[in-house]
Amino acid sequence: MLSFIAGPVLPAFAQQSQDRSDRTVTPIKHIIVIIGENRTFDHVFATYQPKSGERIANLLSKGIITADGKPGPNYKEALQYSATDTGTYSQSPSGKTPYAHLPPAMTDGAPSAASDTNPPPFATVAAVTATEAQIQDGLPAASYKLLTTGATGLASDAVDTRVADATTLPSGPYQLTGPHMPYDAYTASPVHRFYQMWQQTDCSVSDATSDNPSGCRNDLFPWVETSIGTGSNGSPQAAGFNDQTTGEGSASMGFYNMAKGDAPTLKSLADEYTISDNFHQSIEGGTGANHIALGTGLAIFYADDQGKPATPPANEVENPNAQKGTNNWWTQDGYSGGSYSDCSDASQPGVGPVLSYLKSLASHPASKCAPHAYYLLNNYNPGYFGDGTVNTSTFTIPPSQVHTIGDTLNQADISWKYYGAGWNAYVANPNSDLGGIYCNICNPFLYETSIMTSATQRAEHLKDVPDLASDIANGTLPAVSFVKPDGLLDGHPASSKLDLFEAFSANIINQVKANPKLWNDTAILITWDEGGGYYDSGYIQPLDFFGDGTRIPALMISKYSEGGHVSHVYADHVSFLKFIERNWSLPTVSSTGRDNLPDPVSYERNPYVPVNGPAIGDLMDMFDFHKDHGHDHDHDHDHDHDHDHDSH
């Protein structure tokens, strides 16, 4: 039996002369997306058990682990390997050998002790209070103490002895928390860059099956973080290099245990509302590229002042070929090194193997690479500062003229805002300590000319978190809201904690619920930018050269998503754009973005794998608009999505 979630027929798009924000095809008049940092689905929801009648795909349900976090009967399904890649880059290298024990768990750059001058974390609640008075970044006062706790007490890049059996871990996922590692603890951050993530997921058509047609084995996570790590920046490999040199060790294989009380806020939200166990990061790699996709529907390229593809400086081009005499230590990669690839040219470093893999697939996904365009694959500064001036520093992508969802909403007279915590401090002085906690690479509109060159557009659409609180309280929330915590609260491993992101998100949910009229027609999507290099056991669908990547958590909070449902419809960040386009009857952002992909069709036996791929959903399946919620729906058009719960 096939299950299919159809989309509405979209009317022809025309310029409007009045606000159309309330003209929706569903009861949802406001949608908010809150974006955390760097966690996979299994990393957070490894042992989550949904309500009776629902099923879920996680480490526990697959028998990979038990509810107490120990290896389960199917633990070998998550077995990790070392590999050999001594020359030309391979996204599925050879010479694989299973680890008898994982490389040691390491501390990486997690804070070793509290400090007043180098947050996070802070030494005292008084220091937190003083800083919060200046930035007002959305952390409720009851949670200030969380910024004073959780330091490792260990050196950076050392074996993390808080992890049980840190030097003799079995070759697969392990529980982070335990007698010496509380849930409220800073931990290491695994590598999560573009070509590294292709290697971590280890995709080859030779390993394809009917249940896993992409052939992605997800079995090289620790090897990649110990062989190349976060980036070489073109430097030679250090003398005496070993599996502890990068400082990451096997951080990628750690998971939290909800069954034992970890991530209580996220568990409570999953119990009460709807989660997806098939939502993915859009782009292989890190923060910047994935936030850009949330705005544009794909990636952006290095451009000249006419918006045409241009060639970046040589040291900014990725080269993941191994340096001579090394195993997978790359020629050029890093934050002060390569982040661009011309993926239209198979002769370019790293590009050929990925394109060859895509061509070998039965679904034959297009590369989506424009000729002679060097795409930003990782994190460089946006082309503009907050005040609209051009950022001319090195390792900055030039201003982009690529169309974004902001342009589409503007043309349709539909209200929208991007609320980034710390925005006001960033605009005032991006180089100050307070301005520096604003995530500039996370704002997809900071890259774009049409928004950033207009003082009116900047003032109307780019806001701080206190503005979000006032808009919620005053009933002036726009139709579409993007919400980004700052570097203190975003949950990024090493620099933040998951409980801080829980506190930030819960605060916004509570604010919306405190305004009954707003809660009546608002949906809040909580998700993450990418998996952060953590292991995940879920299916990955190759959509184009750029991804998809691993699963990430996604929770939909609204009156229409109550009940603890688990959605299995394949989706990624661009599904959020598809929801906006369907709900407000808009065209796609561009002719090439992923929002042009069809809705997934899947078999009931395996709802995770679209048989019509490449395909992504539009999030409509995360709602039940036919249930009587005890109030007038008051929407302009009947919603005609068919909710086939048989596939759930």
Side-chain angles (χ1 to χ4, degrees), residues 339-383:
S339 270
Y340 297 107
S341 280
D342 175 2
C343 56
S344 70
D345 182 356
S347 70
Q348 292 291 311
V351 172
V354 177
L355 293 181
S356 178
Y357 163 69
L358 295 177
K359 290 178 181 178
S360 72
L361 294 169
S363 58
H364 302 298
S367 71
K368 295 294 182 71
C369 300
H372 313 300
Y374 284 84
Y375 287 87
L376 181 65
L377 303 179
N378 293 297
N379 301 341
Y380 276 170
N381 288 316

Side-chain angles (χ1 to χ4, degrees), residues 207-224:
D207 293 316
T209 65
S210 58
D211 285 339
N212 181 21
S214 65
C216 298
R217 294 179 57 87
N218 301 332
D219 60 2
L220 294 176
F221 279 76
W223 175 72
V224 172

Side-chain angles (χ1 to χ4, degrees), residues 100-335:
H101 295 287
L102 293 177
M106 305 285 287
T107 59
D108 189 38
S112 58
S115 167
D116 277 322
T117 58
N118 186 29
F122 294 83
T124 65
V125 171
V128 177
T129 303
T131 299
E132 288 290 327
Q134 297 178 72
I135 57 175
Q136 301 176 49
D137 63 356
L139 183 66
S143 299
Y144 282 4
K145 184 174 176 59
L146 295 177
L147 284 172
T148 70
T149 58
T152 68
L154 303 166
S156 295
D157 298 335
V159 173
D160 194 341
T161 54
R162 299 172 301 167
V163 175
D165 304 317
T167 59
T168 57
L169 294 164
S171 184
Y174 62 86
Q175 184 173 318
L176 271 172
T177 49
H180 305 293
M181 175 78 85
Y183 171 58
D184 175 42
Y186 288 90
T187 60
S189 175
V191 61
H192 46 277
R193 291 174 63 77
F194 182 84
Y195 286 110
Q196 283 95 329
M197 292 192 82
W198 268 115
Q199 279 191 332
Q200 287 172 322
T201 52
D202 188 19
C203 303
S204 172
V205 71
S206 63
D207 293 316
T209 65
S210 58
D211 285 339
N212 181 21
S214 65
C216 298
R217 294 179 57 87
N218 301 332
D219 60 2
L220 294 176
F221 279 76
W223 175 72
V224 172
E225 58 181 337
T226 57
S227 63
I228 177 60
T230 299
S232 63
N233 289 321
S235 61
Q237 191 178 72
F241 187 89
N242 59 36
D243 62 7
Q244 297 184 32
T245 303
T246 65
E248 297 181 29
S250 58
S252 58
M253 302 307 294
F255 64 85
Y256 291 107
N257 193 336
M258 272 188 178
K260 297 295 184 180
D262 294 342
T265 299
L266 294 173
K267 180 186 183 301
S268 177
L269 291 172
D271 288 342
E272 187 172 356
Y273 298 102
T274 294
I275 67 168
S276 169
D277 65 351
N278 204 13
F279 190 97
H280 297 251
Q281 65 179 80
S282 294
I283 311 294
E284 298 273 27
T287 293
N290 279 286
H291 281 83
I292 289 168
L294 189 61
T296 67
L298 203 58
I300 60 174
F301 50 80
Y302 188 95
D304 61 20
D305 57 7
Q306 301 299 310
K308 305 298 184 183
T311 303
N315 69 321
E316 296 184 9
V317 176
E318 288 265 7
N319 187 344
N321 295 331
Q323 292 185 21
K324 185 177 180 180
T326 72
N327 183 14
N328 210 46
W329 184 260
W330 294 354
T331 301
Q332 183 57 265
D333 170 77
Y335 294 97

Side-chain angles (χ1 to χ4, degrees), residues 356-601:
S356 178
Y357 163 69
L358 295 177
K359 290 178 181 178
S360 72
L361 294 169
S363 58
H364 302 298
S367 71
K368 295 294 182 71
C369 300
H372 313 300
Y374 284 84
Y375 287 87
L376 181 65
L377 303 179
N378 293 297
N379 301 341
Y380 276 170
N381 288 316
Y384 294 95
F385 289 110
D387 62 0
T389 58
V390 175
N391 187 343
T392 59
S393 63
T394 56
F395 308 113
T396 296
I397 187 168
S400 174
Q401 297 182 28
V402 172
H403 198 80
T404 72
I405 188 64
D407 298 310
T408 298
L409 293 168
N410 283 342
Q411 291 166 358
D413 290 311
I414 295 169
S415 57
W416 67 277
K417 292 178 183 177
Y418 180 96
Y419 301 93
W423 169 252
N424 293 334
Y426 174 74
V427 173
N429 185 355
N431 299 312
S432 68
D433 287 342
L434 293 182
I437 64 174
Y438 177 81
C439 186
N440 65 327
I441 63 173
C442 299
N443 184 340
F445 309 106
L446 269 179
Y447 299 83
E448 195 209 2
T449 297
S450 69
I451 302 298
M452 294 309 300
T453 56
S454 167
T456 300
Q457 290 291 310
R458 297 195 305 272
E460 183 175 350
H461 300 298
L462 305 184
K463 299 293 184 178
D464 210 324
V465 166
D467 300 306
L468 172 65
S470 62
D471 282 343
I472 291 172
N474 297 333
T476 54
L477 189 73
V480 177
S481 299
F482 301 85
V483 181
K484 186 69 186 182
D486 60 32
L488 300 175
L489 310 183
D490 60 17
H492 192 297
S495 57
S496 185
K497 299 179 293 185
L498 195 54
D499 58 2
L500 285 163
F501 180 65
E502 286 186 299
F504 176 88
S505 300
N507 193 39
I508 294 172
I509 294 169
N510 291 336
Q511 288 172 353
V512 173
K513 284 186 167 183
N515 183 333
K517 183 177 180 181
L518 187 61
W519 172 242
N520 195 52
D521 59 13
T522 296
I524 304 169
L525 174 65
I526 300 176
T527 189
W528 280 252
D529 62 335
E530 32 99 357
Y534 284 109
Y535 171 80
D536 186 82
S537 65
Y539 172 70
I540 296 173
Q541 181 187 194
L543 299 177
D544 45 52
F545 178 83
F546 306 98
D548 268 348
T550 52
R551 293 185 304 173
I552 53 178
L555 303 95
M556 190 67 76
I557 319 303
S558 82
K559 282 193 171 183
Y560 299 94
S561 56
E562 294 174 334
H565 176 53
V566 182
S567 166
H568 311 310
V569 177
Y570 195 100
D572 72 10
H573 293 120
V574 184
S575 297
F576 182 69
L577 300 186
K578 288 188 73 171
F579 177 86
I580 294 170
E581 292 158 2
R582 295 274 169 87
N583 196 47
W584 280 274
S585 300
L586 301 174
T588 55
V589 173
S590 70
S591 61
T592 57
R594 290 204 189 137
D595 45 343
N596 294 277
L597 292 176
D599 295 327
V601 177

Side-chain angles (χ1 to χ4, degrees), residues 36-59:
E37 290 273 327
N38 296 45
R39 309 283 178 172
T40 60
F41 184 78
D42 274 335
H43 171 68
V44 179
F45 285 89
T47 60
Y48 178 70
Q49 299 179 60
K51 72 175 186 179
S52 177
E54 296 286 342
R55 60 172 170 164
I56 197 167
N58 61 8
L59 297 182

